[in-house]
Amino acid sequence: MIKRIKLPGWIVIISLFLLLIVGVVSMMQGSSEAKEKTEDYSVYPGLNIKTKTKETDLYTFSVSQPYTEHKQINKVIDEWVDQQKTDFTSEINIMEDFLKKNEFRAHLNIQVETEKIADQIYTLEFEAYQITGGANGMTKVKPFILDLNQNKMLQLGDVLQVKEASIKEIQKLIMKELNSNKEINDYIFEELAKEAIKNPDNWKWSISRDKMGVYFDEYEIAAGAAGRIKVEIPMKKIKPYLNKDFVEKIDITFPEEKNNKEEEKHSEDMVELDPNGKYVALTFDDGPHPKVTPQILATLKKHDAKATFFMLGSQVDYYPTLANEVAEAGHEIGDHTMNHQDLTILGIDQIQAEVQQSNSVIKKAAGRTPNLLRPPYGALNDNVKQIAANMELPIIMWSVDSLDWKSRNATAVNEEVMANVAPGSIVLLHDIHPSTAEALPELLTTLEKQGYQMVTVSQLLELWEDKGVGPHYGNIK
């Protein structure tokens, strides 16, 4: 039979076979994609954020970095962030002997403010602060304007009329705003300022629904005492020079924000514990994360376990619905500051701002104000303690470090915790690493077999009748 099939017949059979294979592969891929698809928790559609932290004997760094599904947009942002890291690392190499001799840790913090201008159009304002020695650090600012509808970074010509007459009028507005600012007026070098804005291609600028911002680095147009400078021109003044197409885009009407939920006590937090019970408090830092946090919530629910989540305000700003889900599930939410800065290198007013801003963002999202504080990196000094005391926020450290941030391995995480856990331990974990979510089912099962019950940090403090500021570390083996 096979011998009777001529060449054209074989071609048809082979073609059908190949189509069958392609169809099966496509079905498998579609199935895989369906399994991997996760709910979009971001309040900025098309835009997500990741926070990366690192700690060594010489330095710490924390980077909050938005990302999209568009590789070209991500590439532009990545290149700028990577350059800040490179500059910082180079400075560390130069200052290594100084840092060791003076027992001083350098620090790099990159944070971002995000503003929605219109549907899928955002302004990202990055601020990179680094300090590698001495009394003062260095701050750099970089704005990006993203149009995800067109998959591009907006340039000045996409927003403004770049005709010579229009540019001259905008230059006058910039100088007027600089000269009217009494706080920095005495430090401004007018000739340097005029030179800095001479070429619009070199402007660092941003746009929002109510103003245009123009940025200058430290020492660029003023004495160092002025710091970095941002000029803000009200929209009513800049609107005549905007492109008509852009004006139409930003005139989109946004729905009103939903009213904040009233703050309420959750009964799960108020359960009285048996003084003779065997308890451990699992704590999760740096979230919420759109993929990892939901996995952890599902596992905790399956084991009827409660935990404490120390959230970053910058993450909650992007994922408020997820923060609310954590609260609604009966878990405790603590404050991990707004931008994961080393609080010990900040002034007391800056420390207070970091904590208060995060408190406000979390309350708006979750419906209740955090009642605990965990300083990033566990870095403490008298100023941090004073702010915590003023705000009546107990400082919560940890007695068991899972080292999940280091190993990124589920087995290693379980081994590290079980080797050190004891009744009354406070365990440090992070709900930003997939390996931590993978480790949790086995970790909870093992703890339960040894008679442990998972509770919140506040429940432990209530059990110990310890309501002071602390710091509180928990028990070790």
Short mmCIF file of all heavy atoms in Angstrom, two decimals, residues 253-307:
data_model
loop_
_atom_site.label_atom_id
_atom_site.label_comp_id
_atom_site.label_asym_id
_atom_site.label_seq_id
_atom_site.Cartn_x
_atom_site.Cartn_y
_atom_site.Cartn_z
N THR A 253 -11.50 62.27 30.94
CA THR A 253 -12.04 62.38 32.30
C THR A 253 -11.82 61.07 33.05
O THR A 253 -12.14 59.99 32.55
CB THR A 253 -13.54 62.70 32.27
OG1 THR A 253 -13.72 63.93 31.55
CG2 THR A 253 -14.08 62.86 33.68
N PHE A 254 -11.28 61.18 34.24
CA PHE A 254 -11.03 59.99 35.05
C PHE A 254 -12.17 59.78 36.04
O PHE A 254 -12.73 60.73 36.56
CB PHE A 254 -9.72 60.13 35.84
CG PHE A 254 -8.52 60.19 34.96
CD1 PHE A 254 -7.90 61.39 34.68
CD2 PHE A 254 -8.02 59.03 34.39
CE1 PHE A 254 -6.79 61.44 33.87
CE2 PHE A 254 -6.91 59.08 33.57
CZ PHE A 254 -6.30 60.29 33.32
N PRO A 255 -12.49 58.52 36.32
CA PRO A 255 -13.51 58.25 37.33
C PRO A 255 -13.02 58.66 38.71
O PRO A 255 -11.82 58.61 38.98
CB PRO A 255 -13.70 56.72 37.26
CG PRO A 255 -12.41 56.21 36.70
CD PRO A 255 -11.94 57.28 35.75
N GLU A 256 -13.94 59.07 39.57
CA GLU A 256 -13.56 59.47 40.92
C GLU A 256 -13.09 58.25 41.69
O GLU A 256 -13.56 57.13 41.49
CB GLU A 256 -14.75 60.10 41.64
CG GLU A 256 -15.17 61.43 41.04
CD GLU A 256 -16.31 62.05 41.82
OE1 GLU A 256 -16.76 61.41 42.79
OE2 GLU A 256 -16.74 63.14 41.45
N GLU A 257 -12.12 58.50 42.55
CA GLU A 257 -11.61 57.40 43.36
C GLU A 257 -12.68 56.97 44.36
O GLU A 257 -13.48 57.77 44.82
CB GLU A 257 -10.34 57.83 44.11
CG GLU A 257 -9.17 58.10 43.17
CD GLU A 257 -7.92 58.44 43.97
OE1 GLU A 257 -8.02 58.48 45.20
OE2 GLU A 257 -6.88 58.65 43.35
N LYS A 258 -12.66 55.70 44.63
CA LYS A 258 -13.59 55.18 45.62
C LYS A 258 -13.25 55.72 47.00
O LYS A 258 -12.10 55.97 47.32
CB LYS A 258 -13.53 53.64 45.64
CG LYS A 258 -14.00 53.02 44.32
CD LYS A 258 -13.92 51.51 44.42
CE LYS A 258 -14.37 50.85 43.12
NZ LYS A 258 -14.28 49.39 43.19
N ASN A 259 -14.28 55.90 47.82
CA ASN A 259 -14.05 56.37 49.18
C ASN A 259 -13.26 55.34 49.96
O ASN A 259 -13.44 54.14 49.79
CB ASN A 259 -15.38 56.63 49.90
CG ASN A 259 -16.14 57.79 49.26
OD1 ASN A 259 -15.52 58.72 48.76
ND2 ASN A 259 -17.46 57.72 49.28
N ASN A 260 -12.39 55.84 50.82
CA ASN A 260 -11.61 54.93 51.65
C ASN A 260 -12.54 54.18 52.61
O ASN A 260 -13.55 54.71 53.09
CB ASN A 260 -10.58 55.70 52.48
CG ASN A 260 -9.53 56.32 51.60
OD1 ASN A 260 -9.31 55.89 50.48
ND2 ASN A 260 -8.88 57.36 52.11
N LYS A 261 -12.17 52.94 52.84
CA LYS A 261 -12.93 52.17 53.82
C LYS A 261 -12.65 52.71 55.21
O LYS A 261 -11.57 53.20 55.50
CB LYS A 261 -12.51 50.70 53.75
CG LYS A 261 -12.87 50.03 52.46
CD LYS A 261 -12.27 48.65 52.37
CE LYS A 261 -12.71 47.81 53.52
NZ LYS A 261 -12.17 46.46 53.46
N GLU A 262 -13.65 52.64 56.09
CA GLU A 262 -13.42 53.08 57.45
C GLU A 262 -12.49 52.09 58.14
O GLU A 262 -12.56 50.88 57.94
CB GLU A 262 -14.75 53.14 58.21
CG GLU A 262 -15.67 54.25 57.71
CD GLU A 262 -16.91 54.35 58.55
OE1 GLU A 262 -17.00 53.60 59.56
OE2 GLU A 262 -17.78 55.17 58.24
N GLU A 263 -11.63 52.65 58.97
CA GLU A 263 -10.68 51.79 59.68
C GLU A 263 -11.44 50.95 60.68
O GLU A 263 -12.32 51.44 61.40
CB GLU A 263 -9.65 52.67 60.40
CG GLU A 263 -8.54 51.90 61.03
CD GLU A 263 -7.39 52.82 61.40
OE1 GLU A 263 -7.44 53.99 61.05
OE2 GLU A 263 -6.47 52.33 62.06
N GLU A 264 -11.11 49.68 60.72
CA GLU A 264 -11.82 48.78 61.61
C GLU A 264 -10.86 47.75 62.19
O GLU A 264 -9.85 47.42 61.62
CB GLU A 264 -12.94 48.07 60.87
CG GLU A 264 -12.47 47.34 59.62
CD GLU A 264 -13.60 46.80 58.77
OE1 GLU A 264 -14.63 47.49 58.69
OE2 GLU A 264 -13.43 45.72 58.21
N LYS A 265 -11.20 47.27 63.36
CA LYS A 265 -10.41 46.24 64.02
C LYS A 265 -10.81 44.88 63.48
O LYS A 265 -11.99 44.61 63.27
CB LYS A 265 -10.64 46.27 65.54
CG LYS A 265 -10.04 47.50 66.21
CD LYS A 265 -8.54 47.42 66.27
CE LYS A 265 -7.96 48.60 67.03
NZ LYS A 265 -6.49 48.56 67.09
N HIS A 266 -9.86 44.03 63.24
CA HIS A 266 -10.15 42.67 62.76
C HIS A 266 -10.08 41.72 63.95
O HIS A 266 -9.10 41.70 64.69
CB HIS A 266 -9.14 42.26 61.70
CG HIS A 266 -9.37 42.96 60.39
ND1 HIS A 266 -9.72 42.29 59.25
CD2 HIS A 266 -9.31 44.28 60.06
CE1 HIS A 266 -9.88 43.15 58.26
NE2 HIS A 266 -9.62 44.36 58.72
N SER A 267 -11.11 40.93 64.09
CA SER A 267 -11.20 40.06 65.26
C SER A 267 -10.04 39.08 65.32
O SER A 267 -9.62 38.66 66.40
CB SER A 267 -12.52 39.29 65.23
OG SER A 267 -12.61 38.50 64.05
N GLU A 268 -9.46 38.74 64.15
CA GLU A 268 -8.37 37.77 64.14
C GLU A 268 -7.17 38.28 64.93
O GLU A 268 -6.39 37.51 65.49
CB GLU A 268 -7.94 37.47 62.71
CG GLU A 268 -8.96 36.68 61.91
CD GLU A 268 -9.95 37.59 61.22
OE1 GLU A 268 -10.00 38.78 61.57
OE2 GLU A 268 -10.67 37.12 60.34
N ASP A 269 -6.98 39.63 64.92
CA ASP A 269 -5.84 40.20 65.62
C ASP A 269 -6.04 40.22 67.13
O ASP A 269 -5.10 40.43 67.88
CB ASP A 269 -5.61 41.64 65.15
CG ASP A 269 -5.13 41.68 63.71
OD1 ASP A 269 -4.66 40.64 63.23
OD2 ASP A 269 -5.23 42.75 63.09
N MET A 270 -7.29 40.07 67.57
CA MET A 270 -7.59 40.26 68.97
C MET A 270 -7.78 38.94 69.72
O MET A 270 -8.17 38.93 70.87
CB MET A 270 -8.86 41.11 69.11
CG MET A 270 -8.81 42.41 68.31
SD MET A 270 -7.37 43.44 68.71
CE MET A 270 -7.80 43.92 70.37
N VAL A 271 -7.54 37.81 69.06
CA VAL A 271 -7.72 36.50 69.71
C VAL A 271 -6.72 36.35 70.85
O VAL A 271 -5.52 36.61 70.70
CB VAL A 271 -7.52 35.36 68.69
CG1 VAL A 271 -7.56 34.01 69.39
CG2 VAL A 271 -8.59 35.44 67.61
N GLU A 272 -7.22 35.97 72.00
CA GLU A 272 -6.36 35.79 73.17
C GLU A 272 -5.62 34.46 73.08
O GLU A 272 -6.22 33.42 72.81
CB GLU A 272 -7.20 35.85 74.45
CG GLU A 272 -6.37 35.85 75.72
CD GLU A 272 -7.21 36.06 76.96
OE1 GLU A 272 -8.35 36.57 76.83
OE2 GLU A 272 -6.74 35.71 78.06
N LEU A 273 -4.30 34.51 73.31
CA LEU A 273 -3.49 33.30 73.19
C LEU A 273 -3.30 32.63 74.54
O LEU A 273 -3.29 33.28 75.59
CB LEU A 273 -2.11 33.67 72.60
CG LEU A 273 -2.10 34.33 71.23
CD1 LEU A 273 -0.66 34.54 70.77
CD2 LEU A 273 -2.86 33.51 70.21
N ASP A 274 -3.11 31.33 74.49
CA ASP A 274 -2.82 30.53 75.68
C ASP A 274 -1.37 30.79 76.11
O ASP A 274 -0.45 30.59 75.32
CB ASP A 274 -3.02 29.05 75.35
CG ASP A 274 -2.75 28.14 76.54
OD1 ASP A 274 -2.32 28.63 77.61
OD2 ASP A 274 -2.95 26.92 76.39
N PRO A 275 -1.14 31.25 77.33
CA PRO A 275 0.24 31.54 77.79
C PRO A 275 1.16 30.34 77.67
O PRO A 275 2.38 30.50 77.57
CB PRO A 275 0.03 31.94 79.26
CG PRO A 275 -1.39 32.40 79.33
CD PRO A 275 -2.14 31.56 78.35
N ASN A 276 0.60 29.14 77.65
CA ASN A 276 1.42 27.93 77.55
C ASN A 276 1.51 27.41 76.12
O ASN A 276 2.05 26.33 75.88
CB ASN A 276 0.84 26.84 78.47
CG ASN A 276 0.84 27.26 79.93
OD1 ASN A 276 1.82 27.81 80.43
ND2 ASN A 276 -0.28 27.03 80.60
N GLY A 277 0.97 28.17 75.17
CA GLY A 277 0.96 27.72 73.78
C GLY A 277 2.34 27.84 73.13
O GLY A 277 3.26 28.46 73.66
N LYS A 278 2.45 27.24 71.97
CA LYS A 278 3.71 27.23 71.21
C LYS A 278 3.48 28.03 69.93
O LYS A 278 2.85 27.54 68.98
CB LYS A 278 4.10 25.78 70.89
CG LYS A 278 5.53 25.59 70.43
CD LYS A 278 5.83 24.09 70.29
CE LYS A 278 7.26 23.86 69.83
NZ LYS A 278 7.55 22.41 69.66
N TYR A 279 3.98 29.26 69.93
CA TYR A 279 3.66 30.18 68.85
C TYR A 279 4.90 30.68 68.11
O TYR A 279 5.98 30.78 68.69
CB TYR A 279 2.90 31.40 69.40
CG TYR A 279 1.65 31.04 70.17
CD1 TYR A 279 1.60 31.18 71.56
CD2 TYR A 279 0.53 30.56 69.50
CE1 TYR A 279 0.45 30.85 72.27
CE2 TYR A 279 -0.63 30.23 70.20
CZ TYR A 279 -0.66 30.37 71.59
OH TYR A 279 -1.79 30.03 72.28
N VAL A 280 4.68 31.03 66.84
CA VAL A 280 5.73 31.65 66.05
C VAL A 280 5.08 32.69 65.13
O VAL A 280 3.96 32.48 64.65
CB VAL A 280 6.52 30.60 65.22
CG1 VAL A 280 5.60 29.91 64.23
CG2 VAL A 280 7.69 31.24 64.49
N ALA A 281 5.76 33.80 64.93
CA ALA A 281 5.24 34.86 64.06
C ALA A 281 6.04 34.88 62.76
O ALA A 281 7.25 35.18 62.77
CB ALA A 281 5.32 36.22 64.76
N LEU A 282 5.38 34.55 61.67
CA LEU A 282 6.01 34.65 60.35
C LEU A 282 5.78 36.06 59.82
O LEU A 282 4.65 36.56 59.83
CB LEU A 282 5.41 33.63 59.38
CG LEU A 282 5.52 32.16 59.76
CD1 LEU A 282 4.92 31.29 58.65
CD2 LEU A 282 6.96 31.76 60.02
N THR A 283 6.84 36.71 59.36
CA THR A 283 6.72 38.07 58.84
C THR A 283 7.27 38.11 57.41
O THR A 283 8.27 37.47 57.10
CB THR A 283 7.49 39.08 59.72
OG1 THR A 283 8.89 38.80 59.67
CG2 THR A 283 7.00 39.00 61.16
N PHE A 284 6.59 38.89 56.57
CA PHE A 284 6.96 38.99 55.16
C PHE A 284 7.24 40.45 54.81
O PHE A 284 6.37 41.32 54.98
CB PHE A 284 5.85 38.44 54.27
CG PHE A 284 5.57 36.97 54.48
CD1 PHE A 284 4.65 36.55 55.42
CD2 PHE A 284 6.27 36.02 53.75
CE1 PHE A 284 4.39 35.20 55.62
CE2 PHE A 284 6.03 34.66 53.94
CZ PHE A 284 5.09 34.25 54.87
N ASP A 285 8.44 40.73 54.31
CA ASP A 285 8.86 42.10 54.00
C ASP A 285 8.83 42.41 52.50
O ASP A 285 8.90 41.50 51.67
CB ASP A 285 10.30 42.34 54.49
CG ASP A 285 10.40 42.48 55.99
OD1 ASP A 285 9.41 42.16 56.68
OD2 ASP A 285 11.47 42.89 56.48
N ASP A 286 8.75 43.70 52.20
CA ASP A 286 9.03 44.28 50.87
C ASP A 286 7.90 44.17 49.87
O ASP A 286 8.03 44.62 48.73
CB ASP A 286 10.30 43.70 50.24
CG ASP A 286 11.55 44.04 51.03
OD1 ASP A 286 11.46 44.85 51.97
OD2 ASP A 286 12.62 43.50 50.72
N GLY A 287 6.78 43.55 50.23
CA GLY A 287 5.67 43.44 49.30
C GLY A 287 4.74 44.64 49.39
O GLY A 287 5.09 45.67 49.98
N PRO A 288 3.54 44.49 48.78
CA PRO A 288 3.03 43.29 48.12
C PRO A 288 3.58 43.11 46.71
O PRO A 288 3.92 44.08 46.05
CB PRO A 288 1.52 43.52 48.09
CG PRO A 288 1.38 45.01 48.07
CD PRO A 288 2.51 45.54 48.88
N HIS A 289 3.63 41.83 46.29
CA HIS A 289 4.12 41.46 44.96
C HIS A 289 2.97 40.81 44.20
O HIS A 289 2.27 39.94 44.75
CB HIS A 289 5.29 40.49 45.10
CG HIS A 289 5.96 40.14 43.80
ND1 HIS A 289 5.42 39.25 42.90
CD2 HIS A 289 7.14 40.57 43.26
CE1 HIS A 289 6.24 39.14 41.87
NE2 HIS A 289 7.28 39.93 42.05
N PRO A 290 2.74 41.19 42.93
CA PRO A 290 1.54 40.71 42.22
C PRO A 290 1.47 39.21 41.98
O PRO A 290 0.39 38.67 41.76
CB PRO A 290 1.60 41.47 40.89
CG PRO A 290 3.04 41.84 40.72
CD PRO A 290 3.55 42.09 42.11
N LYS A 291 2.60 38.51 42.00
CA LYS A 291 2.59 37.06 41.79
C LYS A 291 2.86 36.29 43.09
O LYS A 291 2.20 35.30 43.38
CB LYS A 291 3.61 36.67 40.73
CG LYS A 291 3.27 37.16 39.34
CD LYS A 291 4.28 36.67 38.31
CE LYS A 291 3.91 37.16 36.90
NZ LYS A 291 4.89 36.70 35.88
N VAL A 292 3.84 36.75 43.86
CA VAL A 292 4.27 36.00 45.04
C VAL A 292 3.27 36.14 46.20
O VAL A 292 2.91 35.14 46.85
CB VAL A 292 5.68 36.44 45.49
CG1 VAL A 292 6.10 35.66 46.73
CG2 VAL A 292 6.68 36.23 44.36
N THR A 293 2.82 37.35 46.46
CA THR A 293 1.92 37.56 47.60
C THR A 293 0.63 36.74 47.49
O THR A 293 0.21 36.11 48.49
CB THR A 293 1.60 39.05 47.79
OG1 THR A 293 2.83 39.79 47.92
CG2 THR A 293 0.75 39.29 49.03
N PRO A 294 -0.04 36.67 46.33
CA PRO A 294 -1.24 35.83 46.24
C PRO A 294 -0.96 34.35 46.52
O PRO A 294 -1.78 33.66 47.14
CB PRO A 294 -1.69 36.02 44.79
CG PRO A 294 -1.20 37.38 44.42
CD PRO A 294 0.13 37.50 45.12
N GLN A 295 0.22 33.84 46.10
CA GLN A 295 0.58 32.45 46.40
C GLN A 295 0.71 32.25 47.90
O GLN A 295 0.25 31.24 48.45
CB GLN A 295 1.91 32.10 45.73
CG GLN A 295 1.84 31.95 44.22
CD GLN A 295 3.21 31.58 43.65
OE1 GLN A 295 3.97 32.44 43.20
NE2 GLN A 295 3.52 30.30 43.68
N ILE A 296 1.35 33.21 48.56
CA ILE A 296 1.54 33.10 50.00
C ILE A 296 0.21 33.19 50.74
O ILE A 296 -0.04 32.44 51.69
CB ILE A 296 2.52 34.20 50.48
CG1 ILE A 296 3.95 33.84 50.02
CG2 ILE A 296 2.48 34.38 51.99
CD1 ILE A 296 4.98 34.89 50.28
N LEU A 297 -0.67 34.08 50.29
CA LEU A 297 -1.99 34.18 50.91
C LEU A 297 -2.77 32.87 50.79
O LEU A 297 -3.43 32.43 51.74
CB LEU A 297 -2.79 35.32 50.27
CG LEU A 297 -2.35 36.74 50.61
CD1 LEU A 297 -3.19 37.74 49.83
CD2 LEU A 297 -2.47 37.01 52.11
N ALA A 298 -2.68 32.24 49.61
CA ALA A 298 -3.40 30.98 49.40
C ALA A 298 -2.88 29.88 50.33
O ALA A 298 -3.65 29.10 50.89
CB ALA A 298 -3.26 30.55 47.93
N THR A 299 -1.56 29.82 50.50
CA THR A 299 -0.96 28.81 51.37
C THR A 299 -1.33 29.06 52.83
O THR A 299 -1.66 28.13 53.57
CB THR A 299 0.57 28.79 51.21
OG1 THR A 299 0.90 28.55 49.84
CG2 THR A 299 1.20 27.70 52.07
N LEU A 300 -1.27 30.30 53.26
CA LEU A 300 -1.63 30.64 54.64
C LEU A 300 -3.10 30.28 54.92
O LEU A 300 -3.43 29.75 55.98
CB LEU A 300 -1.40 32.13 54.90
CG LEU A 300 0.06 32.60 54.93
CD1 LEU A 300 0.13 34.12 54.98
CD2 LEU A 300 0.81 32.01 56.13
N LYS A 301 -3.96 30.54 53.95
CA LYS A 301 -5.38 30.21 54.10
C LYS A 301 -5.58 28.70 54.23
O LYS A 301 -6.36 28.23 55.08
CB LYS A 301 -6.17 30.74 52.91
CG LYS A 301 -7.67 30.48 53.00
CD LYS A 301 -8.41 31.05 51.80
CE LYS A 301 -9.91 30.79 51.91
NZ LYS A 301 -10.64 31.37 50.73
N LYS A 302 -4.87 27.94 53.43
CA LYS A 302 -5.00 26.48 53.46
C LYS A 302 -4.61 25.93 54.82
O LYS A 302 -5.18 24.94 55.30
CB LYS A 302 -4.11 25.87 52.38
CG LYS A 302 -4.23 24.36 52.24
CD LYS A 302 -3.38 23.85 51.08
CE LYS A 302 -3.49 22.33 50.94
NZ LYS A 302 -2.66 21.83 49.81
N HIS A 303 -3.62 26.56 55.46
CA HIS A 303 -3.15 26.09 56.77
C HIS A 303 -3.78 26.85 57.93
O HIS A 303 -3.39 26.65 59.08
CB HIS A 303 -1.62 26.24 56.84
CG HIS A 303 -0.88 25.23 56.01
ND1 HIS A 303 -0.33 24.09 56.54
CD2 HIS A 303 -0.61 25.21 54.68
CE1 HIS A 303 0.26 23.39 55.57
NE2 HIS A 303 0.11 24.06 54.43
N ASP A 304 -4.74 27.73 57.62
CA ASP A 304 -5.40 28.53 58.65
C ASP A 304 -4.36 29.25 59.52
O ASP A 304 -4.45 29.25 60.76
CB ASP A 304 -6.31 27.66 59.52
CG ASP A 304 -7.25 28.50 60.39
OD1 ASP A 304 -7.53 29.65 60.01
OD2 ASP A 304 -7.67 28.00 61.46
N ALA A 305 -3.37 29.82 58.86
CA ALA A 305 -2.27 30.49 59.56
C ALA A 305 -2.36 31.99 59.36
O ALA A 305 -2.75 32.47 58.29
CB ALA A 305 -0.93 29.98 59.04
N LYS A 306 -1.97 32.74 60.37
CA LYS A 306 -1.93 34.19 60.29
C LYS A 306 -0.48 34.67 60.29
O LYS A 306 0.41 34.03 60.85
CB LYS A 306 -2.69 34.82 61.46
CG LYS A 306 -4.18 34.55 61.40
CD LYS A 306 -4.81 35.23 60.19
CE LYS A 306 -6.30 34.96 60.10
NZ LYS A 306 -6.63 33.65 59.53
N ALA A 307 -0.24 35.81 59.62
CA ALA A 307 1.13 36.33 59.49
C ALA A 307 1.09 37.86 59.52
O ALA A 307 0.01 38.47 59.51
CB ALA A 307 1.77 35.84 58.18
#
